[in-house]
Amino acid sequence: MAKSFARKDFRKMFPSNDACLDFLFQKLYGERPKCPGCNAQQKYHRVRRRKCYSCQKCAHQIYPTKGTIFEGSQTDLLDWFEVILEFHLSKQGVTAKYIQRQTGVTYKTAWRMGHKIRELMNEDAEFLLSGIVEVDETFWGGKTRKIGLTLDEKHKLCFFGMIERGGNCLIYYTEKWDAKTLLPIILSRVKEKSKIYGDDDAAVKKVVNHGYVHGAVNHKARQWRKGEVYSNTIENLWSRFKALTYTHRYISRRWAQNYANEVAFRHNRKKEDRNIFLDILGRIDSTSPAYVFQQSQDFL
């Protein structure tokens, strides 16, 4: 179990902008990185009034924020780190207006900061689901319109979710909810021969043609369970997902996936009580081979 990470722990770990920059440098390059200029392991010294470090021998400069979400930002690093902390402390997300009030930046900057952090929460293609996987779709936003005997939900946002019983989940924003759209997602993110359970959705039934076991319950007939076949786990996930409505009154189609990533990211760390703050910091520059982040009690 990870220790709780409160504001007092944050203030002790990051008392200033310099502490934040030192943290980035050490985690990206270590104490004595190999200098690209002189091709030797040398000490680096902080350059005053600039967000960089200079090689002791050849004066080659390294900018720790390069290639990260902080690159090109005029906002203080300490403000960035404090916003990441808010994502850790909050259970239902953080709005741009809240970021604006807490940091004093403009709304446009606050909005950008929030989405840059949510992009780091994307876990697509990082793991595969296996065993018993419950799948379902949900609709969010607006009012359901009734046309004749059918319900028109085309104006709503559609999200498709997959959750491994006792394990991780993935949530995707989709424009459609037919077999042509959902099957490729299942085939790419769920191991073959896994059990796919859900409601009586014709779009999901075709997984049996691809080496999966399929089971379904008919909610319309008030059937909630059939042996080990049920969808209560993913229904519970949707209840937490729709709690976002208390925080975000509106979600645009363009950025819907970012909010889905955030909900899945939080769920996947809930069981182990993982430190979301440190996990997000560990993804700041996931493209850099020099950045190997390991959560340690030394950080607390």
Side-chain angles (χ1 to χ4, degrees), residues 79-179:
D79 288 337
W80 273 99
F81 278 46
E82 285 179 347
V83 173
I84 296 175
L85 177 68
E86 294 299 333
F87 275 83
H88 166 75
L89 297 176
S90 172
K91 292 184 177 181
Q92 296 180 351
V94 182
T95 65
K97 290 298 293 183
Y98 181 81
I99 296 173
Q100 182 186 17
R101 291 193 299 268
Q102 292 295 105
T103 61
V105 299
T106 64
Y107 178 80
K108 183 177 180 180
T109 299
W111 182 90
R112 177 180 177 273
M113 292 171 71
H115 278 294
K116 283 291 184 181
I117 294 171
R118 290 186 189 96
E119 288 173 3
L120 297 179
M121 298 181 177
N122 185 6
E123 295 186 294
D124 183 41
E126 291 190 9
F127 53 80
L128 295 177
L129 305 178
S130 61
I132 298 179
V133 180
E134 296 182 21
V135 301
D136 192 22
E137 69 275 351
T138 191
F139 301 93
W140 195 56
K143 294 182 179 180
T144 302
R145 303 170 184 172
K146 190 172 183 180
I147 302 178
L149 299 177
T150 62
L151 297 178
D152 176 27
E153 294 176 322
K154 293 182 180 179
H155 64 291
K156 288 175 170 282
L157 299 181
C158 178
F159 294 90
F160 178 66
M162 303 181 293
I163 183 169
E164 187 180 89
R165 285 188 187 171
N168 294 327
C169 75
L170 291 170
I171 303 175
Y172 296 92
Y173 164 71
T174 60
E175 292 288 346
K176 299 179 180 179
W177 50 95
D178 53 10

Side-chain angles (χ1 to χ4, degrees), residues 182-251:
L182 303 185
L183 273 179
I185 298 177
I186 296 175
L187 296 178
S188 62
R189 305 311 320 142
V190 182
K191 289 184 180 179
E192 193 175 347
K193 298 182 180 180
S194 297
K195 297 178 180 179
I196 308 294
Y197 295 160
D199 56 14
D200 195 19
D201 192 337
V204 180
K205 289 181 179 179
K206 295 183 180 181
V207 296
V208 295
N209 301 327
H210 300 274
Y212 296 93
V213 177
H214 178 257
V217 289
N218 190 350
H219 289 170
K220 293 181 180 180
R222 303 189 66 81
Q223 182 186 49
W224 313 114
R225 182 166 187 155
K226 188 167 59 178
E228 69 171 6
V229 180
Y230 57 86
S231 59
N232 296 346
T233 310
I234 193 153
E235 293 292 348
N236 183 46
L237 175 65
W238 288 142
S239 68
R240 293 196 298 274
F241 177 77
K242 292 187 177 181
L244 279 176
T245 57
Y246 298 109
T247 305
H248 306 283
R249 296 297 182 182
Y250 172 77
I251 291 179

